[in-house]
């Protein structure tokens, strides 16, 4: 599938689960560039780059496009609940795991990858929000 239908699925899942669609799109963009065939060296799969344990936690087949997106967005919703909706901590939790954010005192963990990832997600979110301005 091309990027437009995948983005539409991400937006629909975000609305369904009460997640900011621009934020969910930013995560999908940074995780996989909207590619369902993406597989990371660490074993994360699909558009939302679900780790096997996260996919299992949400009862999703990570290789199924809609299940992958739905589970990833539900994880974003749950992270937002854990971190009082703070987008930087939600992004950090998505990248490094919620345990790492908690372990580091509810701050962005000092991992190079996460410290690069968070501002990129927030920048992408801002770009999506600007596209929606009338």
């Amino acid at each position: 599938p091309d990027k437009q239908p995948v983005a539409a699925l991400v937006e629909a899942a975000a609305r369904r689960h009460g997640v900011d669609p621009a934020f969910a799109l930013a995560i999908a963009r940074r995780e996989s560039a909207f590619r369902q065939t993406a597989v990371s060296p660490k074993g994360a799969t699909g558009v939302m780059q679900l780790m096997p344990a996260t996919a299992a936690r949400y009862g999703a087949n990570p290789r199924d496009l809609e299940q992958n997106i739905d589970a990833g967005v539900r994880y974003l919703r749950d992270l937002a609940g854990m971190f009082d909706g703070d987008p930087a901590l939600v992004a950090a939790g998505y990248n490094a795991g919620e345990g790492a954010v908690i372990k580091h005192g509810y701050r962005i963990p000092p991992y190079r990858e996460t410290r690069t990832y968070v501002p990129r997600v927030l920048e992408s979110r801002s770009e999506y929000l600007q596209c929606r301005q009338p």
Side-chain angles (χ1 to χ4, degrees):
D2 67 36
K3 292 178 186 174
Q4 202 59 31
V6 173
L9 289 171
V10 172
E11 286 187 88
R15 287 189 176 91
R16 189 168 54 250
H17 295 298
V19 171
D20 171 18
F23 189 73
L25 288 166
I27 293 286
R29 177 182 178 190
R30 292 298 169 185
E31 287 291 332
S32 70
F34 299 99
R35 291 179 303 116
Q36 180 57 15
T37 57
V39 179
S40 81
K42 295 180 182 176
T45 304
V47 171
M48 301 302 287
Q49 286 291 278
L50 295 180
M51 292 297 287
T54 305
R57 178 179 182 177
Y58 291 97
N61 173 354
R63 289 184 170 74
D64 178 282
L65 176 64
E66 291 186 23
Q67 288 183 36
N68 182 286
I69 291 169
D70 192 72
V73 170
R74 286 188 290 147
Y75 186 38
L76 289 173
R77 177 200 60 204
D78 293 348
L79 289 168
M82 284 180 212
F83 302 128
D84 295 322
D86 181 324
L89 294 182
V90 172
Y94 200 89
N95 179 259
E98 71 262 22
V101 174
I102 294 165
K103 175 184 170 185
H104 292 283
Y106 290 84
R107 291 187 172 84
I108 297 170
Y111 311 143
R112 182 179 308 188
E113 177 184 330
T114 304
R115 294 212 174 224
T116 301
Y117 176 87
V118 170
R120 287 182 177 167
V121 166
L122 298 179
E123 179 183 319
S124 291
R125 178 179 177 255
S126 292
E127 290 171 7
Y128 285 118
L129 288 172
Q130 288 175 7
C131 288
R132 293 164 193 244
Q133 297 296 323

